[in-house]
Amino acid sequence: MKNGAATVFVVDDDASVRKALARLIQSVGLQTKTFASAQELLDQAPPEGPGCIVLDVRMPGLNGLELQAELTGRNIQTPIVFITGHGDIQMSVRAMKSGAVDFLIKPFNDKELLGAIKTAIEKDEYFKAAQTEHSEIQRRHQTLTPREREVLGLVVKGRMNKEIAAELGAAEKTVKVHRARVMQKMQVQSVAELVRAAERVASLGS
Amino acid sequence: MKNGAATVFVVDDDASVRKALARLIQSVGLQTKTFASAQELLDQAPPEGPGCIVLDVRMPGLNGLELQAELTGRNIQTPIVFITGHGDIQMSVRAMKSGAVDFLIKPFNDKELLGAIKTAIEKDEYFKAAQTEHSEIQRRHQTLTPREREVLGLVVKGRMNKEIAAELGAAEKTVKVHRARVMQKMQVQSVAELVRAAERVASLGS
DNA sequence: TCGAATATGGGACCTTAGTCTTATGCGGAA
DNA sequence: TTCCGCATAAGACTAAGGTCCCATATTCGA
Protein backbone atom coordinates (compact mmCIF):
# COMPACT_ATOMS: atom_id res chain seq x y z
CA MET A 1 0.00 0.00 0.00
CA LYS A 2 1.30 3.43 -0.81
CA ASN A 3 0.87 4.84 2.65
CA GLY A 4 2.91 7.79 1.53
CA ALA A 5 -0.09 10.00 0.86
CA ALA A 6 -1.85 9.10 4.10
CA THR A 7 -2.37 11.46 7.00
CA VAL A 8 -2.42 10.51 10.64
CA PHE A 9 -4.51 12.71 12.93
CA VAL A 10 -3.04 12.79 16.38
CA VAL A 11 -5.26 13.91 19.23
CA ASP A 12 -3.70 14.27 22.68
CA ASP A 13 -3.92 17.02 25.26
CA ASP A 14 -0.26 16.68 26.16
CA ALA A 15 1.86 18.80 23.82
CA SER A 16 5.01 16.77 24.39
CA VAL A 17 3.21 13.55 23.59
CA ARG A 18 1.80 15.08 20.41
CA LYS A 19 5.25 16.15 19.39
CA ALA A 20 6.80 12.79 20.09
CA LEU A 21 4.05 10.94 18.24
CA ALA A 22 4.25 13.28 15.28
CA ARG A 23 7.98 12.78 15.06
CA LEU A 24 7.65 9.01 15.21
CA ILE A 25 4.91 8.89 12.61
CA GLN A 26 6.69 11.25 10.26
CA SER A 27 9.78 9.11 10.52
CA VAL A 28 8.04 6.46 8.43
CA GLY A 29 6.98 8.97 5.80
CA LEU A 30 3.42 9.68 6.90
CA GLN A 31 1.84 13.11 7.14
CA THR A 32 0.58 14.20 10.54
CA LYS A 33 -1.86 16.73 11.92
CA THR A 34 -2.03 17.26 15.63
CA PHE A 35 -4.91 18.38 17.81
CA ALA A 36 -4.96 19.27 21.48
CA SER A 37 -8.57 18.27 21.99
CA ALA A 38 -11.40 16.28 20.47
CA GLN A 39 -13.21 19.49 19.65
CA GLU A 40 -10.29 20.75 17.59
CA LEU A 41 -10.47 17.66 15.43
CA LEU A 42 -14.21 17.96 15.02
CA ASP A 43 -13.88 21.60 13.95
CA GLN A 44 -11.65 20.44 11.16
CA ALA A 45 -13.29 19.47 7.86
CA PRO A 46 -13.41 15.70 7.45
CA PRO A 47 -10.20 14.46 5.82
CA GLU A 48 -10.04 13.87 2.08
CA GLY A 49 -7.36 11.30 1.52
CA PRO A 50 -6.75 8.06 3.37
CA GLY A 51 -5.70 8.28 6.96
CA CYS A 52 -6.40 7.32 10.51
CA ILE A 53 -6.76 8.83 13.94
CA VAL A 54 -4.46 8.25 16.89
CA LEU A 55 -6.40 9.17 19.94
CA ASP A 56 -5.75 9.45 23.65
CA VAL A 57 -8.69 8.15 25.63
CA ARG A 58 -8.43 10.50 28.58
CA MET A 59 -8.64 14.13 27.69
CA PRO A 60 -10.29 17.19 29.11
CA GLY A 61 -13.52 18.05 27.33
CA LEU A 62 -14.74 15.24 25.09
CA ASN A 63 -12.82 12.10 25.86
CA GLY A 64 -11.65 9.61 23.28
CA LEU A 65 -14.68 7.36 23.43
CA GLU A 66 -17.02 10.30 23.15
CA LEU A 67 -15.13 11.56 20.14
CA GLN A 68 -15.38 8.11 18.58
CA ALA A 69 -19.14 8.13 19.11
CA GLU A 70 -19.42 11.64 17.71
CA LEU A 71 -17.49 10.71 14.59
CA THR A 72 -19.66 7.65 14.12
CA GLY A 73 -22.70 9.90 14.49
CA ARG A 74 -21.38 12.18 11.79
CA ASN A 75 -20.80 9.15 9.59
CA ILE A 76 -17.06 9.63 9.56
CA GLN A 77 -15.55 6.20 9.84
CA THR A 78 -11.86 6.98 9.76
CA PRO A 79 -10.22 4.12 11.67
CA ILE A 80 -9.10 4.93 15.19
CA VAL A 81 -6.10 3.70 17.15
CA PHE A 82 -6.48 4.43 20.85
CA ILE A 83 -3.60 5.06 23.15
CA THR A 84 -3.82 5.57 26.86
CA GLY A 85 -1.85 5.83 30.02
CA HIS A 86 -4.63 5.00 32.44
CA GLY A 87 -7.26 2.93 30.72
CA ASP A 88 -9.40 0.15 32.03
CA ILE A 89 -10.83 -2.93 30.43
CA GLN A 90 -14.35 -1.56 30.06
CA MET A 91 -12.96 1.32 28.10
CA SER A 92 -10.91 -0.84 25.82
CA VAL A 93 -13.76 -3.24 25.18
CA ARG A 94 -16.14 -0.42 24.47
CA ALA A 95 -13.66 1.12 22.06
CA MET A 96 -13.05 -2.16 20.26
CA LYS A 97 -16.76 -2.95 20.07
CA SER A 98 -17.24 0.44 18.46
CA GLY A 99 -14.79 -0.51 15.78
CA ALA A 100 -11.43 0.75 16.98
CA VAL A 101 -8.48 -0.83 15.20
CA ASP A 102 -6.38 -1.14 18.33
CA PHE A 103 -6.11 0.05 21.89
CA LEU A 104 -2.58 0.49 23.14
CA ILE A 105 -1.39 1.26 26.62
CA LYS A 106 1.60 3.43 27.37
CA PRO A 107 4.35 2.75 27.30
CA PHE A 108 4.02 0.91 24.02
CA ASN A 109 6.86 0.23 21.70
CA ASP A 110 7.08 2.16 18.47
CA LYS A 111 6.57 -0.85 16.28
CA GLU A 112 3.28 -1.65 17.94
CA LEU A 113 1.91 1.80 17.25
CA LEU A 114 3.24 1.96 13.72
CA GLY A 115 1.85 -1.46 13.02
CA ALA A 116 -1.56 -0.44 14.26
CA ILE A 117 -1.41 2.74 12.19
CA LYS A 118 -0.48 0.78 9.11
CA THR A 119 -3.41 -1.56 9.63
CA ALA A 120 -5.72 1.39 10.20
CA ILE A 121 -4.62 3.20 7.06
CA GLU A 122 -4.98 0.09 4.94
CA LYS A 123 -8.44 -0.37 6.33
CA ASP A 124 -9.30 3.20 5.44
CA GLU A 125 -7.91 2.88 1.95
CA TYR A 126 -9.90 -0.25 1.40
CA PHE A 127 -13.03 1.30 2.80
CA LYS A 128 -12.68 4.51 0.85
CA ALA A 129 -12.20 2.61 -2.39
CA ALA A 130 -15.33 0.59 -1.75
CA GLN A 131 -17.12 3.75 -0.72
CA THR A 132 -16.22 5.56 -3.92
CA GLU A 133 -17.41 2.75 -6.10
CA HIS A 134 -20.55 2.36 -4.09
CA SER A 135 -21.52 6.00 -4.19
CA GLU A 136 -21.00 6.09 -7.94
CA ILE A 137 -23.45 3.24 -8.38
CA GLN A 138 -25.77 4.93 -5.91
CA ARG A 139 -25.62 8.11 -7.95
CA ARG A 140 -26.59 6.27 -11.09
CA HIS A 141 -29.40 4.52 -9.30
CA GLN A 142 -30.80 7.85 -8.25
CA THR A 143 -31.17 8.97 -11.84
CA LEU A 144 -33.72 6.18 -12.35
CA THR A 145 -37.40 7.05 -12.40
CA PRO A 146 -39.70 5.20 -9.98
CA ARG A 147 -40.97 2.97 -12.73
CA GLU A 148 -37.48 2.17 -13.89
CA ARG A 149 -36.58 1.16 -10.36
CA GLU A 150 -39.50 -1.23 -10.24
CA VAL A 151 -38.39 -2.80 -13.49
CA LEU A 152 -34.81 -3.00 -12.24
CA GLY A 153 -35.98 -4.80 -9.13
CA LEU A 154 -37.79 -7.43 -11.12
CA VAL A 155 -35.03 -7.83 -13.68
CA VAL A 156 -32.45 -8.60 -11.02
CA LYS A 157 -34.87 -11.11 -9.54
CA GLY A 158 -34.57 -12.96 -12.83
CA ARG A 159 -38.03 -12.22 -14.14
CA MET A 160 -38.64 -12.26 -17.87
CA ASN A 161 -39.97 -9.19 -19.63
CA LYS A 162 -43.40 -10.72 -20.07
CA GLU A 163 -43.58 -11.56 -16.37
CA ILE A 164 -42.52 -8.08 -15.41
CA ALA A 165 -45.15 -6.69 -17.74
CA ALA A 166 -47.81 -8.81 -16.08
CA GLU A 167 -46.71 -7.84 -12.57
CA LEU A 168 -46.68 -4.17 -13.39
CA GLY A 169 -49.77 -4.27 -15.54
CA ALA A 170 -47.99 -2.92 -18.57
CA ALA A 171 -47.19 -4.11 -22.07
CA GLU A 172 -44.04 -6.12 -22.62
CA LYS A 173 -42.99 -3.42 -25.04
CA THR A 174 -43.05 -0.81 -22.31
CA VAL A 175 -40.98 -3.00 -20.04
CA LYS A 176 -38.39 -3.28 -22.76
CA VAL A 177 -38.21 0.48 -23.01
CA HIS A 178 -37.73 0.90 -19.25
CA ARG A 179 -35.27 -1.91 -19.15
CA ALA A 180 -33.15 -0.42 -21.91
CA ARG A 181 -33.10 2.90 -20.09
CA VAL A 182 -32.10 1.18 -16.85
CA MET A 183 -29.14 -0.44 -18.59
CA GLN A 184 -28.14 2.91 -20.03
CA LYS A 185 -28.46 4.86 -16.81
CA MET A 186 -26.72 2.23 -14.71
CA GLN A 187 -24.02 2.10 -17.37
CA VAL A 188 -23.90 -1.65 -17.67
CA GLN A 189 -23.75 -3.83 -20.75
CA SER A 190 -25.24 -7.02 -19.39
CA VAL A 191 -27.71 -8.39 -16.91
CA ALA A 192 -24.82 -9.88 -14.95
CA GLU A 193 -23.29 -6.47 -14.34
CA LEU A 194 -26.69 -5.06 -13.58
CA VAL A 195 -27.28 -7.66 -10.90
CA ARG A 196 -23.95 -6.89 -9.27
CA ALA A 197 -24.61 -3.16 -9.35
CA ALA A 198 -28.08 -3.62 -7.90
CA GLU A 199 -26.72 -5.82 -5.13
CA ARG A 200 -24.49 -2.99 -4.04
CA VAL A 201 -27.31 -0.51 -4.03
CA ALA A 202 -29.40 -2.86 -1.94
CA SER A 203 -26.57 -3.49 0.48
CA LEU A 204 -26.64 -0.02 1.91
CA GLY A 205 -30.25 1.08 1.91
CA SER A 206 -31.89 2.92 -0.94
CA MET B 1 -34.99 -14.72 17.71
CA LYS B 2 -36.06 -18.05 19.14
CA ASN B 3 -33.12 -18.43 21.47
CA GLY B 4 -34.97 -21.28 23.08
CA ALA B 5 -33.10 -23.97 21.18
CA ALA B 6 -29.70 -22.40 21.72
CA THR B 7 -26.99 -23.86 23.90
CA VAL B 8 -24.47 -21.90 25.93
CA PHE B 9 -21.13 -23.59 26.54
CA VAL B 10 -19.68 -22.48 29.81
CA VAL B 11 -15.97 -23.00 30.39
CA ASP B 12 -14.54 -22.15 33.80
CA ASP B 13 -12.22 -24.03 36.08
CA ASP B 14 -14.15 -22.98 39.17
CA ALA B 15 -17.02 -25.38 39.80
CA SER B 16 -19.04 -22.89 41.84
CA VAL B 17 -18.78 -20.30 39.09
CA ARG B 18 -19.87 -22.85 36.52
CA LYS B 19 -22.83 -23.73 38.61
CA ALA B 20 -23.84 -20.13 39.17
CA LEU B 21 -23.49 -19.27 35.51
CA ALA B 22 -25.45 -22.31 34.44
CA ARG B 23 -28.26 -21.43 36.79
CA LEU B 24 -28.38 -17.86 35.55
CA ILE B 25 -28.35 -18.85 31.90
CA GLN B 26 -30.96 -21.55 32.35
CA SER B 27 -33.18 -19.02 34.09
CA VAL B 28 -33.79 -17.36 30.74
CA GLY B 29 -34.62 -20.63 29.04
CA LEU B 30 -31.29 -21.46 27.43
CA GLN B 31 -29.58 -24.84 27.45
CA THR B 32 -26.16 -25.04 29.07
CA LYS B 33 -23.20 -27.35 28.94
CA THR B 34 -20.36 -26.81 31.35
CA PHE B 35 -16.69 -27.62 31.04
CA ALA B 36 -13.92 -27.40 33.62
CA SER B 37 -11.19 -26.77 31.06
CA ALA B 38 -10.55 -25.68 27.50
CA GLN B 39 -9.49 -29.20 26.64
CA GLU B 40 -12.81 -30.61 27.77
CA LEU B 41 -14.61 -28.33 25.36
CA LEU B 42 -12.27 -29.23 22.53
CA ASP B 43 -12.81 -32.95 23.15
CA GLN B 44 -16.50 -32.39 22.61
CA ALA B 45 -17.80 -32.63 19.05
CA PRO B 46 -18.50 -29.20 17.58
CA PRO B 47 -22.04 -28.09 18.46
CA GLU B 48 -24.88 -28.62 16.03
CA GLY B 49 -27.45 -25.99 16.82
CA PRO B 50 -26.96 -22.29 17.46
CA GLY B 51 -25.09 -21.30 20.58
CA CYS B 52 -22.21 -19.43 22.07
CA ILE B 53 -19.33 -19.92 24.45
CA VAL B 54 -18.89 -18.22 27.81
CA LEU B 55 -15.26 -18.46 28.64
CA ASP B 56 -13.04 -17.55 31.56
CA VAL B 57 -9.76 -16.12 30.36
CA ARG B 58 -7.56 -17.47 33.09
CA MET B 59 -7.59 -21.20 33.43
CA PRO B 60 -5.06 -23.89 34.08
CA GLY B 61 -3.97 -25.63 30.89
CA LEU B 62 -5.08 -23.78 27.77
CA ASN B 63 -6.26 -20.34 28.71
CA GLY B 64 -9.21 -18.57 27.18
CA LEU B 65 -7.29 -16.79 24.46
CA GLU B 66 -5.50 -19.95 23.47
CA LEU B 67 -8.81 -21.77 23.27
CA GLN B 68 -10.16 -19.00 21.09
CA ALA B 69 -7.18 -19.36 18.76
CA GLU B 70 -7.54 -23.12 18.70
CA LEU B 71 -11.22 -22.90 17.80
CA THR B 72 -10.42 -20.43 15.05
CA GLY B 73 -7.77 -22.83 13.79
CA ARG B 74 -10.32 -25.62 13.69
CA ASN B 75 -12.67 -23.33 11.79
CA ILE B 76 -15.22 -23.30 14.58
CA GLN B 77 -16.52 -19.78 14.81
CA THR B 78 -19.01 -20.04 17.61
CA PRO B 79 -19.14 -16.56 19.16
CA ILE B 80 -17.31 -16.15 22.44
CA VAL B 81 -18.13 -14.04 25.47
CA PHE B 82 -15.16 -13.69 27.77
CA ILE B 83 -15.43 -13.26 31.50
CA THR B 84 -12.57 -12.69 33.87
CA GLY B 85 -11.64 -11.76 37.37
CA HIS B 86 -8.11 -10.63 36.67
CA GLY B 87 -7.76 -9.50 33.12
CA ASP B 88 -5.69 -6.77 31.63
CA ILE B 89 -6.21 -4.49 28.70
CA GLN B 90 -3.90 -6.34 26.37
CA MET B 91 -5.89 -9.47 26.93
CA SER B 92 -9.21 -7.81 26.30
CA VAL B 93 -7.98 -6.09 23.17
CA ARG B 94 -6.50 -9.26 21.84
CA ALA B 95 -9.74 -11.12 22.51
CA MET B 96 -11.83 -8.45 20.83
CA LYS B 97 -9.51 -8.23 17.85
CA SER B 98 -9.89 -11.98 17.46
CA GLY B 99 -13.63 -11.55 17.20
CA ALA B 100 -14.95 -11.95 20.74
CA VAL B 101 -18.44 -10.61 21.22
CA ASP B 102 -17.71 -9.12 24.62
CA PHE B 103 -15.22 -9.20 27.44
CA LEU B 104 -16.73 -8.81 30.89
CA ILE B 105 -14.95 -8.38 34.19
CA LYS B 106 -16.21 -9.82 37.42
CA PRO B 107 -18.27 -8.82 39.10
CA PHE B 108 -20.60 -8.07 36.23
CA ASN B 109 -24.31 -7.76 36.56
CA ASP B 110 -26.52 -10.50 35.22
CA LYS B 111 -28.08 -8.34 32.58
CA GLU B 112 -24.73 -7.52 31.06
CA LEU B 113 -23.86 -11.16 30.66
CA LEU B 114 -27.27 -12.19 29.40
CA GLY B 115 -27.21 -9.31 26.94
CA ALA B 116 -23.85 -10.37 25.62
CA ILE B 117 -25.03 -13.97 25.35
CA LYS B 118 -28.12 -12.88 23.46
CA THR B 119 -26.01 -10.90 21.02
CA ALA B 120 -23.64 -13.82 20.61
CA ILE B 121 -26.41 -16.31 19.91
CA GLU B 122 -28.05 -14.03 17.38
CA LYS B 123 -24.73 -13.66 15.68
CA ASP B 124 -24.32 -17.41 15.58
CA GLU B 125 -27.82 -17.95 14.22
CA TYR B 126 -27.21 -15.41 11.53
CA PHE B 127 -23.86 -16.90 10.66
CA LYS B 128 -25.10 -20.48 10.64
CA ALA B 129 -27.95 -19.57 8.33
CA ALA B 130 -25.57 -17.90 5.90
CA GLN B 131 -23.20 -20.85 6.25
CA THR B 132 -25.88 -23.39 5.40
CA GLU B 133 -26.95 -21.55 2.30
CA HIS B 134 -23.39 -21.03 1.24
CA SER B 135 -22.35 -24.63 1.59
CA GLU B 136 -25.33 -25.75 -0.45
CA ILE B 137 -24.29 -23.49 -3.30
CA GLN B 138 -20.73 -24.68 -2.88
CA ARG B 139 -21.89 -28.26 -3.12
CA ARG B 140 -23.66 -27.56 -6.39
CA HIS B 141 -20.65 -25.74 -7.74
CA GLN B 142 -18.53 -28.78 -7.08
CA THR B 143 -20.70 -30.91 -9.35
CA LEU B 144 -19.62 -28.76 -12.30
CA THR B 145 -17.03 -30.07 -14.70
CA PRO B 146 -13.92 -27.92 -15.34
CA ARG B 147 -15.27 -26.72 -18.65
CA GLU B 148 -18.62 -25.86 -17.14
CA ARG B 149 -16.84 -23.78 -14.53
CA GLU B 150 -15.03 -21.85 -17.22
CA VAL B 151 -18.29 -21.15 -18.96
CA LEU B 152 -19.90 -20.15 -15.68
CA GLY B 153 -17.12 -17.69 -15.02
CA LEU B 154 -17.60 -15.99 -18.36
CA VAL B 155 -21.39 -16.00 -18.15
CA VAL B 156 -21.37 -14.17 -14.84
CA LYS B 157 -18.97 -11.68 -16.34
CA GLY B 158 -21.73 -10.84 -18.76
CA ARG B 159 -20.18 -12.35 -21.86
CA MET B 160 -22.40 -13.48 -24.70
CA ASN B 161 -22.32 -17.09 -25.88
CA LYS B 162 -20.44 -16.19 -29.02
CA GLU B 163 -17.81 -14.33 -27.01
CA ILE B 164 -17.44 -17.23 -24.63
CA ALA B 165 -17.08 -19.56 -27.59
CA ALA B 166 -14.32 -17.40 -29.03
CA GLU B 167 -12.48 -17.17 -25.69
CA LEU B 168 -12.64 -20.90 -25.15
CA GLY B 169 -12.02 -21.82 -28.76
CA ALA B 170 -15.26 -23.75 -29.07
CA ALA B 171 -18.44 -23.50 -31.09
CA GLU B 172 -21.26 -21.34 -29.80
CA LYS B 173 -23.40 -24.43 -29.86
CA THR B 174 -21.10 -26.16 -27.38
CA VAL B 175 -21.19 -23.19 -25.09
CA LYS B 176 -24.96 -23.35 -25.06
CA VAL B 177 -24.80 -26.97 -23.99
CA HIS B 178 -22.40 -26.25 -21.13
CA ARG B 179 -24.38 -23.23 -20.13
CA ALA B 180 -27.62 -25.16 -19.96
CA ARG B 181 -25.96 -27.78 -17.78
CA VAL B 182 -24.56 -25.11 -15.50
CA MET B 183 -28.02 -23.67 -14.99
CA GLN B 184 -29.35 -27.14 -14.22
CA LYS B 185 -26.61 -28.11 -11.81
CA MET B 186 -26.63 -24.81 -9.99
CA GLN B 187 -30.40 -25.09 -9.82
CA VAL B 188 -31.18 -21.60 -11.04
CA GLN B 189 -33.73 -20.41 -13.55
CA SER B 190 -32.13 -17.17 -14.64
CA VAL B 191 -28.81 -15.47 -15.21
CA ALA B 192 -29.61 -13.13 -12.33
CA GLU B 193 -29.82 -16.00 -9.86
CA LEU B 194 -26.74 -17.55 -11.38
CA VAL B 195 -24.75 -14.37 -10.81
CA ARG B 196 -25.81 -14.22 -7.20
CA ALA B 197 -24.95 -17.85 -6.63
CA ALA B 198 -21.58 -17.45 -8.29
CA GLU B 199 -20.82 -14.37 -6.18
CA ARG B 200 -21.26 -16.46 -3.08
CA VAL B 201 -19.00 -19.18 -4.35
CA ALA B 202 -16.35 -16.61 -5.18
CA SER B 203 -16.67 -14.94 -1.79
CA LEU B 204 -15.16 -17.85 0.06
CA GLY B 205 -12.52 -19.31 -2.15
CA SER B 206 -13.13 -21.99 -4.75
C1' DT C 1 -49.61 27.75 -21.43
C1' DC C 2 -45.69 25.47 -23.12
C1' DG C 3 -41.90 22.44 -22.91
C1' DA C 4 -39.52 18.72 -20.25
C1' DA C 5 -39.84 14.53 -17.93
C1' DT C 6 -42.35 10.35 -17.39
C1' DA C 7 -44.95 6.41 -18.74
C1' DT C 8 -47.08 4.27 -22.24
C1' DG C 9 -47.17 1.31 -26.47
C1' DG C 10 -47.34 -0.19 -31.77
C1' DG C 11 -44.58 -2.03 -35.86
C1' DA C 12 -40.68 -3.98 -37.89
C1' DC C 13 -36.47 -6.34 -37.44
C1' DC C 14 -32.35 -8.43 -35.83
C1' DT C 15 -29.67 -10.76 -32.34
C1' DT C 16 -29.30 -13.93 -28.50
C1' DA C 17 -30.60 -17.57 -25.78
C1' DG C 18 -32.71 -21.92 -24.97
C1' DT C 19 -34.58 -26.70 -26.35
C1' DC C 20 -34.66 -31.20 -28.44
C1' DT C 21 -32.64 -34.66 -31.03
C1' DT C 22 -28.82 -36.86 -32.67
C1' DA C 23 -23.96 -37.92 -32.99
C1' DT C 24 -18.66 -38.23 -32.56
C1' DG C 25 -14.14 -38.67 -30.06
C1' DC C 26 -11.52 -39.40 -25.89
C1' DG C 27 -9.92 -41.23 -21.62
C1' DG C 28 -10.42 -43.66 -17.43
C1' DA C 29 -12.61 -47.31 -14.52
C1' DA C 30 -14.50 -51.84 -14.12
C1' DT D 1 -12.87 -54.34 -23.92
C1' DT D 2 -16.85 -52.14 -22.72
C1' DC D 3 -19.33 -48.54 -20.54
C1' DC D 4 -19.57 -43.89 -18.63
C1' DG D 5 -18.48 -39.06 -18.05
C1' DC D 6 -16.84 -35.27 -20.48
C1' DA D 7 -16.42 -32.26 -24.31
C1' DT D 8 -17.70 -31.47 -28.74
C1' DA D 9 -21.14 -29.98 -32.29
C1' DA D 10 -24.90 -29.79 -36.15
C1' DG D 11 -29.87 -29.06 -37.42
C1' DA D 12 -34.19 -27.14 -36.59
C1' DC D 13 -36.90 -24.37 -34.07
C1' DT D 14 -39.05 -21.47 -30.32
C1' DA D 15 -38.71 -17.77 -27.48
C1' DA D 16 -36.71 -14.03 -25.38
C1' DG D 17 -34.15 -9.75 -25.56
C1' DG D 18 -32.75 -5.51 -27.87
C1' DT D 19 -33.19 -1.57 -31.28
C1' DC D 20 -34.94 1.42 -34.65
C1' DC D 21 -38.77 4.97 -35.48
C1' DC D 22 -42.86 6.65 -34.15
C1' DA D 23 -46.81 8.30 -31.35
C1' DT D 24 -49.94 9.55 -27.28
C1' DA D 25 -51.20 10.98 -22.47
C1' DT D 26 -50.14 13.04 -17.99
C1' DT D 27 -48.03 15.93 -14.92
C1' DC D 28 -45.48 19.57 -13.29
C1' DG D 29 -42.94 23.56 -13.02
C1' DA D 30 -41.43 27.95 -15.35
Side-chain angles (χ1 to χ4, degrees), chain A residues 106-118:
Chain A
K106 300 175 192 169
F108 43 78
N109 85 34
D110 293 355
K111 273 203 189 125
E112 265 188 303
L113 179 62
L114 293 175
I117 288 173
K118 186 167 181 288

Side-chain angles (χ1 to χ4, degrees), chain A residues 145-147 170-171 173-174 177-178:
Chain A
T145 68
R147 200 56 158 174
K173 190 68 240 291
T174 308
V177 174
H178 289 315

Side-chain angles (χ1 to χ4, degrees), chain B residues 85-96:
Chain B
H86 326 273
D88 56 43
I89 292 184
Q90 276 96 349
M91 264 187 177
S92 69
V93 171
R94 200 178 135 200
M96 297 302 291

Side-chain angles (χ1 to χ4, degrees), chain A residues 8 10 16-32 34 54 81 83 104 106-118:
Chain A
V8 179
V10 176
S16 66
V17 172
R18 285 200 299 278
K19 203 167 161 185
L21 287 175
R23 200 159 352 113
L24 171 63
I25 293 165
Q26 283 161 12
S27 79
V28 293
L30 294 166
Q31 304 291 313
T32 59
T34 59
V54 172
V81 174
I83 56 177
L104 304 172
K106 300 175 192 169
F108 43 78
N109 85 34
D110 293 355
K111 273 203 189 125
E112 265 188 303
L113 179 62
L114 293 175
I117 288 173
K118 186 167 181 288

Side-chain angles (χ1 to χ4, degrees), chain B residues 71-107:
Chain B
L71 289 170
T72 302
R74 296 189 188 190
N75 204 29
I76 298 171
Q77 48 289 74
T78 305
I80 298 175
V81 175
F82 282 96
I83 55 177
T84 183
H86 326 273
D88 56 43
I89 292 184
Q90 276 96 349
M91 264 187 177
S92 69
V93 171
R94 200 178 135 200
M96 297 302 291
K97 282 211 274 189
S98 302
V101 170
D102 213 331
F103 192 101
L104 304 171
I105 43 178
K106 300 176 192 169

Side-chain angles (χ1 to χ4, degrees), chain A residues 79-165:
Chain A
I80 298 175
V81 174
F82 282 97
I83 56 177
T84 184
H86 324 273
D88 57 42
I89 292 185
Q90 276 96 350
M91 264 186 176
S92 69
V93 171
R94 200 176 135 200
M96 296 302 291
K97 281 210 275 188
S98 302
V101 170
D102 214 330
F103 192 102
L104 304 172
I105 42 179
K106 300 175 192 169
F108 43 78
N109 85 34
D110 293 355
K111 273 203 189 125
E112 265 188 303
L113 179 62
L114 293 175
I117 288 173
K118 186 167 181 288
T119 303
I121 290 173
E122 282 168 7
K123 206 170 161 183
D124 196 42
E125 281 169 345
Y126 180 81
F127 181 82
K128 281 211 162 59
Q131 182 82 350
T132 299
E133 195 190 339
H134 185 276
S135 66
E136 172 58 18
I137 293 172
Q138 194 75 21
R139 193 191 58 69
R140 289 178 197 157
H141 184 257
Q142 265 157 12
T143 69
L144 298 182
T145 68
R147 200 56 158 174
E148 284 162 359
R149 260 174 226 146
E150 288 184 280
V151 172
L152 170 59
L154 293 166
V155 168
V156 301
K157 273 188 188 169
R159 299 279 198 286
M160 289 183 306
N161 287 343
K162 62 161 66 169
E163 293 174 324
I164 297 173

